[in-house]
């Protein structure tokens, strides 16, 4: 592999320094990368312009809710938001800690359990527990008040992703989509296993309806395995590493790092270690609208935020049951 990279570097250097006009390099460099792929791996990438990592951030632990701990990968000072994504928390909670009654408006929450379980209930009477491998895709829309509390002794761990809604969808009626672990579609090939939470890859697709078009894949790469995954070119995309370490594009990263991907239509990943590499790849179509956030409320203007606070306080416009309801 070292020899191949050396050859490619030499070719690239010749191109860079032999042409005073570098406009042609954009079209030539991806073909060199494709040649490297074909020489080093029998898999062929299903894309022409590889994405590279443009930002690498270590998600640091912080307190959240009532005694819970989260690693905030998106939504921190280092990465405020990533249109259409507002927040990504890698959470860990054990009794008596948790996320007691709290409201949402204007976006969706995706909760993906990795270990243990979380019991959730809301003011509309919806109640249930999701366990390791289960997914809850909640559209808060015009308003939800709910609680999320640990179902077992713990630690109960998982990921929660907040996805923004466009202006036309912010005030829709709330809804839930839930997938049990056994119902999440999977595929495996050449040392790469994927669980498809949303979108389609490796010939399998998720039944989840994404109001904001999105993909959410949970990949595990065995030692020495490689992955070439296509991603819609105009979508925002990122990686969050759950465990292990690997090379993403040309960037080496390990557990608890979030990697923001730049322009291109696909990502190449290699696990060069002797341990498994597990990460989620998430992508979504940008909404390109103003984002004004006040805690659990996300709207398009400060006036809409002020109205939301008023609606919640007075129990109106979607929050009618908020004043009288308490979780059990």
């Amino acid at each position: 592999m070292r020899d191949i990279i050396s050859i490619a570097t030499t070719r690239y250097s010749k191109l860079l320094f032999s042409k005073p006009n570098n406009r042609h390099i954009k079209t030539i460099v991806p073909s060199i990368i494709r040649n490297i792929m074909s020489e080093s791996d029998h898999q062929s990438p299903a894309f022409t312009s590889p994405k590279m990592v443009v930002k690498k951030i270590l998600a640091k632990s912080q307190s959240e809710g009532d005694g819970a701990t989260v690693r905030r990968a998106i939504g921190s000072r280092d990465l405020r938001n990533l249109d259409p994504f507002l927040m990504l928390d890698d959470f860990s909670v054990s009794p008596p800690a948790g996320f007691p009654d709290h409201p949402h408006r204007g976006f969706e929450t995706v909760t993906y359990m990795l270990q243990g379980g979380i019991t959730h209930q809301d003011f509309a009477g919806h109640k249930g527990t999701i366990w390791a491998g289960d997914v809850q895709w909640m559209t808060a829309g015009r308003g939800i008040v709910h609680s999320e509390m640990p179902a077992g002794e713990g630690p109960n761990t998982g990921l929660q992703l907040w996805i923004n809604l466009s202006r036309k969808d912010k005030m829709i009626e709330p809804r839930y989509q839930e997938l049990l672990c056994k119902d999440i579609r999977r595929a495996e090939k050449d040392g790469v296993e994927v669980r498809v939470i949303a979108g389609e890859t490796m010939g399998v697709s998720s039944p989840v309806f994404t109001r904001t078009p999105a993909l959410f894949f949970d990949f595990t790469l065995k030692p020495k395995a490689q992955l070439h995954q296509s991603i819609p070119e105009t979508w925002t995309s990122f990686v969050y590493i759950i465990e292990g370490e690997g090379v993403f594009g040309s960037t080496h990263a390990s557990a608890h790092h979030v990697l923001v991907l730049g322009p291109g239509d696909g990502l190449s990943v290699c696990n060069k270690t002797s341990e498994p590499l597990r990460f989620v790849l998430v992508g979504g179509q940008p909404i390109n609208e103003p984002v004004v956030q006040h805690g659990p409320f996300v709207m398009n203007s400060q006036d809409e935020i002020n109205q939301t606070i008023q609606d919640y306080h007075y129990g109106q416009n979607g929050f009618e049951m908020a004043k009288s309801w308490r979780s059990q």
Side-chain angles (χ1 to χ4, degrees):
M1 173 63 81
R2 245 186 243 135
D3 293 339
I4 294 170
I5 293 172
S6 176
I7 292 167
T9 305
T10 303
R11 290 180 194 167
Y12 179 80
S13 298
K14 287 180 180 177
L15 285 167
L16 185 61
F17 294 109
S18 64
K19 291 183 181 288
N21 184 343
N22 293 337
R23 287 179 304 166
H24 302 296
I25 292 176
K26 284 186 179 179
T27 59
I28 296 170
V29 172
S31 68
I32 293 175
I33 294 173
R34 287 199 301 277
N35 289 340
I36 293 173
M37 294 296 184
S38 62
E39 291 176 43
S40 61
D41 181 16
H42 67 277
Q43 298 181 39
S44 296
F47 50 86
T48 57
S49 178
K51 286 180 176 287
M52 296 296 160
V53 175
V54 296
K55 198 164 192 176
K56 173 184 173 182
I57 299 169
L58 178 63
K60 300 171 185 175
S61 294
Q62 65 181 63
S63 296
E64 193 67 26
D66 184 3
T69 300
V70 305
R71 290 180 178 270
R72 183 148 295 165
I74 299 174
S76 67
R77 185 183 307 170
D78 295 326
L79 188 58
R80 181 57 58 192
N81 55 56
L82 195 63
D83 186 17
F85 307 111
L86 304 164
M87 190 190 81
L88 176 67
D89 277 354
D90 181 347
F91 65 84
S92 179
V93 57
S94 299
F99 305 95
D101 304 2
H102 59 279
H104 293 295
R105 174 182 277 182
F107 60 98
E108 298 183 300
T109 67
V110 182
T111 306
Y112 181 33
M113 292 304 299
L114 301 177
Q115 179 180 343
I118 288 288
T119 296
H120 54 94
Q121 52 182 304
D122 70 27
F123 67 2
H126 186 274
K127 183 177 181 178
T129 299
I130 54 173
W131 299 99
D134 296 346
V135 176
Q136 181 198 73
W137 198 293
M138 183 186 80
T139 304
R142 66 200 303 258
I144 278 286
V145 177
H146 73 159
S147 65
E148 299 160 291
M149 302 298 288
E153 286 304 308
N156 301 275
T157 65
L159 303 177
Q160 186 169 94
L161 176 69
W162 289 13
I163 306 178
N164 199 12
L165 289 170
S166 65
R167 179 181 282 108
K168 66 181 177 59
D169 292 329
K170 284 189 177 294
M171 295 296 285
I172 62 175
E173 291 295 324
R175 62 173 294 192
Y176 290 89
Q177 300 175 81
E178 292 185 347
L179 280 179
L180 298 181
C181 179
K182 65 182 179 64
D183 297 323
I184 293 176
R185 294 168 187 170
R186 309 178 186 211
E188 185 171 2
K189 184 179 180 182
D190 298 330
V192 176
E193 181 182 351
V194 65
R195 305 177 82 242
V196 183
I197 311 302
E200 181 178 358
T201 187
M202 291 174 65
V204 297
S205 60
S206 168
V208 168
F209 170 69
T210 57
R211 192 168 293 276
T212 299
L215 59 83
F216 190 139
F217 305 142
D218 175 2
F219 282 110
T220 298
L221 272 63
K222 292 180 180 178
K224 312 307 178 185
Q226 292 194 11
L227 166 71
H228 308 302
Q229 174 63 47
S230 61
I231 302 168
E233 191 163 8
T234 59
W235 285 20
T236 302
S237 55
F238 69 90
V239 163
Y240 180 74
I241 304 170
I242 299 171
E243 62 179 339
E245 55 186 293
V247 179
F248 299 80
S250 59
T251 300
H252 177 271
S254 55
H256 309 307
H257 279 90
V258 59
L259 310 176
V260 180
L261 304 178
D265 60 351
L267 173 68
S268 290
V269 183
C270 179
N271 179 7
K272 297 181 179 180
T273 74
S274 58
E275 300 294 331
L277 164 65
R278 186 180 183 189
F279 62 92
V280 292
L281 171 62
V282 181
Q285 187 175 71
I287 295 174
N288 296 318
E289 292 178 358
V291 175
V292 181
Q293 181 171 353
H294 180 84
F297 305 137
V298 183
M299 303 301 287
N300 294 110
S301 69
Q302 188 58 49
D303 286 347
E304 291 172 338
I305 288 291
N306 295 341
Q307 182 64 54
T308 298
I309 295 170
Q310 182 174 314
D311 289 345
Y312 178 58
H313 180 75
Y314 290 106
Q316 61 188 23
N317 295 328
F319 289 113
E320 283 78 4
M321 291 177 281
K323 296 186 75 172
S324 60
W325 180 81
R326 297 292 182 274
S327 61
Q328 300 300 313

